[in-house]
Amino acid sequence: WTVLIERLSSRLGKAQVVRAELQTAAEPERAYRYVAWLDRSRRSSAQPAAHRPLHLLAKLMPLHDVKLASDNTPRSFRCRQTRHQIDRCWGPERIVTSWWRQRTVARDYYQVETTTGARLWICQRHTDHAWFLHGIF
């Protein structure tokens, strides 16, 4: 890996070869930043995020026709014209931003596994109870 990173950095520039570094933030979209692989002067002070998806969508994708079980956990939903049945569900994990921020975010996140084996990170927004896809494991 070292040779590859050094070679890419020398050809593309150090600032172009980056890695994700975790940050201490409640909002998933602010919980990381990109830093150059070869920049070892900055160390992360963030705690690793437990059970976060490898692929976080840049923008929340709306889910429709969400059906809930008796315990209010999601059981099925429609995303882009495709119906998904949930086989297993973990959560909720409540994420709320700090009150002093200009834009407060409050969501309940669920890790779900569909009957086709897809593992997804979905959330329900507190303000309007809308559901969204936010990440893919």
Side-chain angles (χ1 to χ4, degrees):
W1 284 108
T2 305
V3 173
L4 175 64
I5 291 169
E6 287 177 357
R7 185 173 292 162
L8 287 172
S9 295
S10 68
R11 291 186 183 182
L12 301 173
K14 287 182 181 181
Q16 300 303 313
V17 182
V18 297
R19 61 185 166 82
E21 184 178 84
L22 296 176
Q23 299 294 297
T24 306
E27 270 181 282
E29 49 270 25
R30 293 180 186 223
Y32 68 94
R33 68 183 174 127
Y34 291 111
V35 295
W37 264 104
L38 297 180
D39 182 11
R40 298 290 181 210
S41 63
R42 302 179 78 160
R43 298 283 184 210
S44 173
S45 62
Q47 296 294 322
H51 310 295
R52 294 292 187 260
L54 292 175
H55 177 68
L56 193 64
L57 301 179
K59 193 174 175 185
L60 296 174
M61 182 181 297
L63 301 177
H64 304 284
D65 301 328
V66 178
K67 305 293 184 207
L68 303 176
S70 58
D71 61 356
N72 286 329
T73 59
R75 288 293 149 217
S76 67
F77 59 88
R78 188 171 47 84
C79 181
R80 292 187 182 170
Q81 309 305 323
T82 303
R83 189 90 188 143
H84 298 272
Q85 296 294 330
I86 296 172
D87 188 36
R88 299 188 327 174
C89 178
W90 300 268
E93 174 190 359
R94 182 157 290 169
I95 295 179
V96 180
T97 58
S98 304
W99 61 268
W100 56 84
R101 287 211 171 143
Q102 293 178 2
R103 185 178 62 96
T104 301
V105 174
R107 303 177 189 137
D108 285 338
Y109 279 85
Y110 296 85
Q111 290 183 48
V112 298
E113 185 175 313
T114 66
T115 54
T116 60
R119 293 220 31 232
L120 308 170
W121 205 38
I122 64 174
C123 64
Q124 183 181 34
R125 192 167 48 201
H126 287 200
T127 54
D128 58 2
H129 303 290
W131 287 87
F132 301 93
L133 172 64
H134 199 170
I136 302 167
F137 289 92

